[in-house]
Every structure is written in structure tokens, then in C-alpha cells.
């Protein structure tokens, strides 16, 4: 069955499923990026803590490096790490919520498919009423003729 042949109610759920999958992928990519930044921040903090009190310390300011106080840079990096950890927690909550929604939509689609195949296409599945297949096909309209 091609996507054009799917009933509108099922097409809507499949579209919702695809949107949720895209959202989950975006959340996971953001989370991965933050975790990479955390590793880099940890490495920088380790090196700064190894540096002596009199060693010169520089930090990036756009495309240039600027001399800075070691303690100030350490404080900035620790704040960055804390903020990043908070953002990761928020993303984890979003990830959990999206995964739950994905499971619900998948279950709904499976129920609709089972209901439509078991019910002989009666159009009523899980409390959703949809037109019978013949009416659904008619509402799609005639296909344009090739010139």
C-alpha cells in the first residue's frame, strides 16, 4: 500500500510519527553536542588547574585570544559546565517525553491498522470515525492526465 492509498486518519498518524521521530533526532543531536562541549570544558579545566599561578592564561574572544586571569577563566568554565548540565537535563526530559509520545502514536497506528483490517474497513477504529474506503478514494479527486 503506497502512502497515497492510506486512509486520511492513518496518514495523519504516520505524519505525526515522522514529526516525533525528527524531534527525537534533533534532541539527541543537541544532547550529544552538549556532551562533547562538556568533555572539552573538563579538559580545559584540568589543564588550567595544572597551570601555575604565574603562567599566562588566554581565552578565546571571537577570532582572537585575550590574556585573562586564571581564576576568572576557571570560574567561567565552571559556570559554562553548570549551565550545560542543566541544558542536558532539560533535553533528557524532552527526550523521555518524545519517546513516550512515539510509543503512543505507534500503538495507535498499530491499533488502527488492526482495526481496519479486522473490521473490513468499516471506518471506525479506536473511537475515530473515518469515511469508508470508497468515499475516501472519491475525495482524493481525479488524477491529472499527462499531456
Amino acid at each position: 500500500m503506497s502512502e497515497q492509498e492510506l486512509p486520511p486518519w492513518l496518514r495523519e498518524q504516520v505524519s505525526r510519527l515522522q514529526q516525533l521521530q525528527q524531534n527525537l533526532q534533533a534532541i539527541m543531536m543537541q544532547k550529544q553536542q552538549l556532551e562533547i562541549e562538556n568533555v572539552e570544558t573538563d579538559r580545559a579545566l584540568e589543564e588550567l588547574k595544572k597551570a601555575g599561578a604565574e603562567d599566562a592564561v588566554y581565552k578565546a574572544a571571537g577570532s582572537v585570544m585575550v590574556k585573562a586571569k586564571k581564576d576568572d577563566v576557571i570560574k567561567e568554565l565552571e559556570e559554562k559546565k553548570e549551565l550545560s548540565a542543566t541544558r542536558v537535563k532539560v533535553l533528557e526530559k524532552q527526550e523521555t517525553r518524545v519517546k513516550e509520545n512515539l510509543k503512543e502514536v505507534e500503538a495507535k497506528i498499530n491499533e488502527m491498522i488492526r482495526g481496519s483490517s479486522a473490521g473490513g474497513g468499516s471506518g471506525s477504529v479506536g473511537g475515530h470515525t473515518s469515511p469508508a474506503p470508497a468515499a475516501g478514494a472519491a475525495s482524493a479527486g481525479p488524477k491529472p492526465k499527462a499531456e
Side-chain angles (χ1 to χ4, degrees):
M1 189 184 307
S2 74
E3 199 168 314
Q4 294 295 332
E5 298 170 9
L6 293 177
W9 48 268
L10 183 55
R11 221 175 319 152
E12 179 183 324
Q13 292 303 315
V14 169
S15 176
R16 184 164 177 234
L17 179 73
Q18 290 171 338
Q19 182 64 42
L20 286 168
Q21 288 171 333
Q22 289 173 352
N23 289 350
L24 180 60
Q25 186 177 12
I27 289 167
M28 292 174 76
M29 287 174 59
Q30 289 176 28
K31 192 173 134 189
Q32 183 180 26
Q33 186 62 40
L34 283 171
E35 289 168 349
I36 290 169
E37 286 178 22
N38 276 340
V39 169
E40 292 173 356
T41 302
D42 283 339
R43 226 179 268 143
L45 280 168
E46 281 178 36
E47 291 302 316
L48 274 173
K49 288 176 181 175
K50 287 179 192 175
E54 300 302 316
D55 291 342
V57 174
Y58 296 88
K59 69 176 188 173
S63 60
V64 297
M65 299 295 287
V66 179
K67 192 170 185 177
K69 292 180 183 173
K70 177 182 166 183
D71 292 338
D72 290 346
V73 176
I74 288 174
K75 186 178 176 184
E76 274 183 43
L77 289 174
E78 286 173 345
E79 287 174 1
K80 179 180 177 181
K81 190 175 170 183
E82 191 177 311
L83 178 62
S84 185
T86 303
R87 290 175 60 199
V88 167
K89 285 180 187 175
V90 169
L91 288 171
E92 285 172 346
K93 287 179 183 178
Q94 288 178 345
E95 180 180 7
T96 301
R97 198 168 33 249
V98 170
K99 283 180 177 179
E100 289 170 0
N101 288 342
L102 266 170
K103 286 179 185 176
E104 289 173 14
V105 172
E106 286 172 347
K108 192 180 238 182
I109 289 172
N110 288 333
E111 180 184 323
M112 289 174 163
I113 290 171
R114 279 194 304 273
S116 68
S117 61
S122 66
S124 179
V125 177
H128 294 84
T129 306
S130 61
S139 67
K143 292 185 179 179
K145 294 181 182 178
E147 292 182 27

